[in-house]
Amino acid sequence: MYLLPAIDILGGKAVRLAKGDYAQVTVYNDDPVAQALTFEEAGATWLHVVDLDGARSGTPENMAIIEAILAKTLLKVEVGGGIRSLGTIQRLYDAGVSRVVLGTSLVADPAFAEEALSHYRDMLVAGIDAKGGEVAVAGWREGAGVSAEELVAHVADIGFKHLVYTDIARDGMQTGIDANTYVRMAEIFKNPVIASGGVATIDDIIALGKVADSIEGVIAGRAIYEKQLDVARAVVACRVAEKTSELRRIAENPCGGCSC
């Protein structure tokens, strides 16, 4: 379990949206690269970047900024937003991106998603954003008419090994998380998931840590920018949760599954 501080890029700036609403934008830093460096200095090893312009238009529009972050930090970077071609994935791969999130294309162009898996399986992440149990696409502006649980099961079946699940109703609202939602999605996905949406304080990290077997990582944005969540403390809390989960698994199965 690890922390992924989030940088959402809109118009070249680091922003956050409330409930995914492009009309409710707060600018937190005019320089996303400087923001990434700040997260790295606080101890983060991962970064979650969303090209909001790309998510809305369907074509990445902030590639130069992403490339600059990769060039100036040692962070592992996960990128989403407007990734709908193999050429885009290849460019991100060449730049050094660790993982690429496919979102809208999971619903709008499933053939592309499966083709991408055949070429880039190890670096692909299914990004499923949901509100009221229904998947949202196109930068959260449209309902897809698809059950979130059905889509989670589908992406597991076709071979995705990483999943970012976002609770839109909580995203950017600092209302706290619903840990049970992520446990349920991990059960369906058959792998731990990356939790996104609603992290407000260190208490939410601790709550997710109690179900760490179901949680690969935790994305946090507005709570960090508004000083409600300290990155350094959150990084440590994630590491403690991961270690505690590992020790629990060892205690429950001390022989590693042998027949003794």
Side-chain angles (χ1 to χ4, degrees):
M1 180 169 153
Y2 48 85
L3 183 75
L4 299 95
I7 295 180
D8 293 358
I9 305 172
L10 184 67
K13 299 178 180 181
V15 309
R16 293 298 285 173
L17 308 181
K19 297 185 180 180
D21 186 350
Y22 281 76
Q24 298 185 60
V25 180
T26 303
V27 176
Y28 285 106
N29 197 321
D30 290 338
D31 186 349
V33 179
Q35 186 64 62
L37 285 164
T38 298
F39 289 150
E40 184 177 41
E41 289 166 1
T45 57
W46 275 92
L47 182 68
H48 180 78
V49 176
V50 179
D51 182 344
L52 289 173
D53 296 293
R56 182 163 53 181
S57 69
T59 304
E61 297 184 22
N62 292 287
M63 189 74 80
I65 294 174
I66 294 167
E67 291 172 340
I69 290 172
L70 288 160
K72 295 183 179 182
T73 75
L74 296 176
L75 292 165
K76 298 174 186 176
V77 179
E78 176 179 273
V79 176
I83 300 168
R84 299 174 198 173
S85 76
L86 295 180
T88 298
I89 298 174
Q90 184 63 45
R91 183 176 176 186
L92 290 166
Y93 174 84
D94 291 340
V97 167
S98 294
R99 292 201 300 244
V100 171
V101 182
L102 300 186
T104 295
S105 62
L106 297 174
V107 174
D109 191 357
F112 162 67
E114 294 196 34
E115 183 181 10
L117 273 172
S118 70
H119 294 282
Y120 303 97
R121 183 177 301 272
D122 291 342
M123 71 180 296
L124 292 187
V125 182
I128 297 180
D129 309 323
K131 183 176 181 179
E134 181 183 352
V135 174
V137 296
W140 296 353
R141 290 173 297 136
E142 302 172 12
V146 176
S147 158
E149 291 194 359
E150 288 179 7
L151 186 56
V152 169
H154 173 69
V155 298
D157 287 344
I158 64 176
F160 279 92
K161 299 303 180 185
H162 301 282
L163 168 67
V164 172
Y165 186 84
T166 302
D167 184 345
I168 295 174
R170 295 173 182 268
D171 190 78
M173 301 306 294
Q174 293 179 255
T175 53
I177 53 87
D178 177 6
N180 290 331
T181 294
Y182 302 107
V183 172
R184 171 62 178 159
M185 293 304 160
E187 289 174 351
I188 297 170
F189 189 56
K190 300 181 179 64
N191 279 295
V193 303
I194 298 171
S196 173
V199 171
T201 68
I202 195 70
D203 290 339
D204 292 313
I205 304 293
I206 293 170
L208 289 169
K210 292 177 180 177
V211 293
D213 287 349
S214 298
I215 308 298
E216 177 181 355
V218 183
I219 295 172
R222 186 180 292 270
I224 293 173
Y225 293 110
E226 297 194 353
K227 313 299 183 185
Q228 301 300 312
L229 180 68
D230 179 75
V231 170
R233 287 188 66 203
V235 166
V236 171
C238 286
R239 288 175 180 165
V240 169
E242 178 66 25
K243 189 64 176 179
T244 300
S245 178
E246 180 183 348
L247 291 172
R248 183 172 60 249
R249 289 194 296 270
I250 292 172
E252 291 173 351
N253 193 10
C255 297
C258 74
S259 59
C260 68

